Amino acid sequence: MSEIDAIRNAILEDAPAEAIGALALPEAARGAIVKSDEQEMFTGLASDDKDPHRSVHVEEFPLPELAPDEAFVAVMASAINFNTVWSSIFEPLPTFGFLKRLGKESVWGARHDRPFHVLGSDAAGVVLRVGSAVRNWKPGDKVTVQCNHVDDQDPSAHDDSMLATNQRIWGFETNYGGLAEIAVVKANQLMPKAAHLTWEEAACNGLCNSTSYRMIVSRNGSGMAQGQSVLVWGASGGIGAYACQYVLNGGGTPVGVVSSPKRAALLHEMGVEHVIDRKEEGYRFWSDETTQDQKEWLRLGKKIREHIGRDVDIVFEHPGRSTMGASVFVAKRGGLIITCAATSGFMIEYDNRYLWMNLKTLKGCHFANYREAWEANRLVCEGRIHPTLSKVYSLDHTADAAHAVQHNLSEGKLGVLCLSPEEGLGVTDPALRERHIDQITLFRRFEDSSR
Ligand code: NDP
């Protein structure tokens, strides 16, 4: 039996911690990688025509030596994030530049600078080995991984580690990410796995849930107060669906924007009363490539007022170029536009008069520090925030999943089975699961019913 099969079997049999710690490690594992000698393959193509099927390969890669502050994690399941798409289409830049820079920082950093990049910024699985400096985790621990990768010996990494000069997103700006049979993580990326969730449900929350927690709940984000209203773009998407949950949990009013009746129905089912179907409304914020149409911003603002009787306190912004003009316009006087992305383009244009004359704030936000990710995960573990998993793929079909996210064909999160041979495994608290089964399976049921 191969070492990988022995690891998988031990986890499936729930072997004791000592037995997991005694398992032999393979020299190589399979993972979803892109290759440095292919980073020019899409030159000249439009973004939509850059196909992850051509660039993402599922192959064996050599496992590196473990640093003292790291752990090897046997990955039972992972998930697709939009950064998987960015890596696979080499936009806005090939990720090999990130690996090269990390490679120059230290001997341990040098392990990341390879001609392959193992992708993936989410994982749920079991700790196989820990480095000599790891205190809080041991082999056999069932974990999820948050993707904030920081060197905690750097003073800038303290207070808010997202402000660290060496802060990186694991599996995007580092190598050995979660879309693999075995991942390499820093010990301070580990968090307990939610006992009531399957491997794939537990794997899909880390990146998007933590990001939305910081944007909506944390004082580092908007710190939303009870009774505030939030316009959430892409409200049934990766980060948007967690944002809606946080707004509802915090006593706020989400106004969700989506692009189909199916997505509107999904949001209603989640408890989001106010939903705007941007396709049905036919908003054309840009009348051509260079001109925005203020009348269309006004039309959106009017629609929001029809729904909630006032302007929104906060705009949860990430589409970027296509929506930022409207987002700045529709936020209330003194309101906040919080942004973490620019899917449709990062060269942003908005009318600054509406920002300064109406005393609005435009604030950047990025992933989450360990404390924020931990709190967001605790809420998942307690059944207060639910996974938004809609579909699951095998590791071999990672490119199919990335392609679906790239083309806005999916709702919520797409999971990827790595070592787990099938869906539905890994639940150790069936009673808590039963209590929340409708919410846990909501996105999945919607996906299945629309096939
Ligand atoms: P998803 O694709 O899952 O969801 C995004 C949603 O945004 C889509 O479902 C779509 O919803 C909506 N959308 C897409 N394009 C437009 C547009 N032009 N105008 C209006 N709405 C649009 O992606 P994620 O939610 O996972 O990620 C969104 C962005 O956030 C990505 O760019 C990602 O890289 C970034 N991100 C950044 C993080 C950070 O830490 N900085 C963390 C996580 C994500 P609909 O069509 O229904 O309106």
Side-chain angles (χ1 to χ4, degrees), residues 3 22 34 83 151 166 236 335 366 425:
E3 286 109 339
V34 290
N83 70 11
D151 177 352
N166 55 28
S236 70
H366 188 38
L425 306 177

Side-chain angles (χ1 to χ4, degrees), residues 82 86 207 211 238-239 259 263 278 322 340-341 343 366-367 408:
F82 218 98
W86 298 129
L207 187 146
T211 302
I239 50 177
S259 63
R263 292 180 178 181
R278 66 183 172 100
S322 60
C340 73
T343 316
H366 188 38
F367 188 58
N408 192 12

Side-chain angles (χ1 to χ4, degrees), residues 220-406:
N220 293 317
S222 66
M224 187 203 80
Q226 293 191 17
Q228 288 196 311
S229 53
V230 185
L231 182 75
V232 181
W233 291 105
S236 70
I239 50 177
Y242 291 103
C244 288
Q245 293 188 60
Y246 282 114
V247 177
L248 289 168
N249 282 5
T253 305
V255 180
V257 184
V258 291
S259 63
S260 73
K262 173 190 170 191
R263 292 180 178 181
L266 180 54
L267 283 195
H268 287 315
E269 199 70 29
M270 280 175 73
V272 178
E273 187 186 336
H274 305 287
V275 181
I276 297 173
D277 183 337
R278 66 183 172 100
K279 242 194 198 138
E280 190 186 357
E281 297 295 333
Y283 294 120
R284 292 195 61 213
F285 301 131
W286 289 84
S287 34
D288 60 44
E289 294 254 307
T290 53
T291 322
Q292 296 200 61
D293 184 350
Q294 189 178 327
K295 289 199 296 304
E296 291 293 279
W297 302 346
L298 267 164
R299 202 154 70 80
L300 174 64
K302 194 160 166 257
K303 192 82 202 163
I304 293 169
R305 286 181 186 184
E306 274 170 33
H307 271 280
I308 60 169
R310 58 196 170 94
D311 296 330
V312 284
D313 298 281
I314 299 165
V315 180
F316 182 89
E317 166 62 47
H318 53 91
R321 184 170 172 81
S322 60
T323 54
M324 185 60 93
S327 293
V328 169
F329 183 81
V330 300
K332 76 164 193 189
R333 191 175 174 84
L336 173 72
I337 303 97
I338 187 150
T339 175
C340 73
T343 316
S344 65
F346 49 80
M347 294 306 281
I348 299 296
E349 268 180 49
Y350 63 87
D351 187 332
N352 204 29
R353 290 170 299 173
Y354 293 108
L355 193 84
W356 99 71
M357 294 293 287
N358 295 306
L359 302 106
K360 303 182 189 186
T361 303
L362 174 57
K363 183 172 183 176
C365 203
H366 188 38
F367 188 58
N369 61 38
Y370 195 17
R371 184 189 63 77
E372 291 162 337
W374 188 279
E375 284 304 300
N377 185 60
R378 182 176 63 80
L379 294 167
V380 171
C381 291
E382 292 178 359
R384 292 164 195 265
I385 289 288
H386 304 289
T388 61
L389 189 73
S390 64
K391 201 169 173 186
V392 179
Y393 295 73
S394 68
L395 184 59
D396 285 326
H397 289 95
T398 299
D400 291 342
H403 184 267
V405 172
Q406 176 189 16

Side-chain angles (χ1 to χ4, degrees), residues 386-446:
H386 304 289
T388 61
L389 189 73
S390 64
K391 201 169 173 186
V392 179
Y393 295 73
S394 68
L395 184 59
D396 285 326
H397 289 95
T398 299
D400 291 342
H403 184 267
V405 172
Q406 176 189 16
H407 293 280
N408 192 12
L409 301 174
S410 59
E411 285 79 42
K413 297 294 303 174
L414 299 183
V416 175
L417 296 181
C418 297
L419 285 174
S420 188
E422 58 189 86
E423 296 174 44
L425 306 177
V427 175
T428 53
D429 186 346
L432 183 59
R433 181 177 185 78
E434 204 40 49
R435 220 177 310 150
H436 299 293
I437 193 69
D438 286 350
Q439 296 105 311
I440 295 169
T441 56
L442 177 63
F443 279 64
R444 195 61 206 255
R445 282 185 280 116
F446 253 80

Side-chain angles (χ1 to χ4, degrees), residues 164-240:
T165 49
N166 55 28
Q167 189 279 327
R168 293 182 163 88
I169 298 296
W170 165 72
F172 180 61
E173 294 164 290
T174 82
N175 217 328
Y176 309 115
L179 287 162
E181 293 168 331
I182 296 181
V184 181
V185 305
K186 283 185 179 281
N188 61 13
Q189 291 178 248
L190 294 172
M191 310 189 293
K193 172 193 169 286
H196 66 301
L197 300 182
T198 64
W199 293 113
E200 59 278 7
E201 289 161 357
C204 75
N205 308 299
L207 187 146
C208 284
N209 180 38
S210 310
T211 302
S212 298
Y213 177 93
R214 182 172 170 115
M215 287 180 79
I216 298 293
V217 182
S218 173
R219 61 178 183 264
N220 293 317
S222 66
M224 187 203 80
Q226 293 191 17
Q228 288 196 311
S229 53
V230 185
L231 182 75
V232 181
W233 291 105
S236 70
I239 50 177

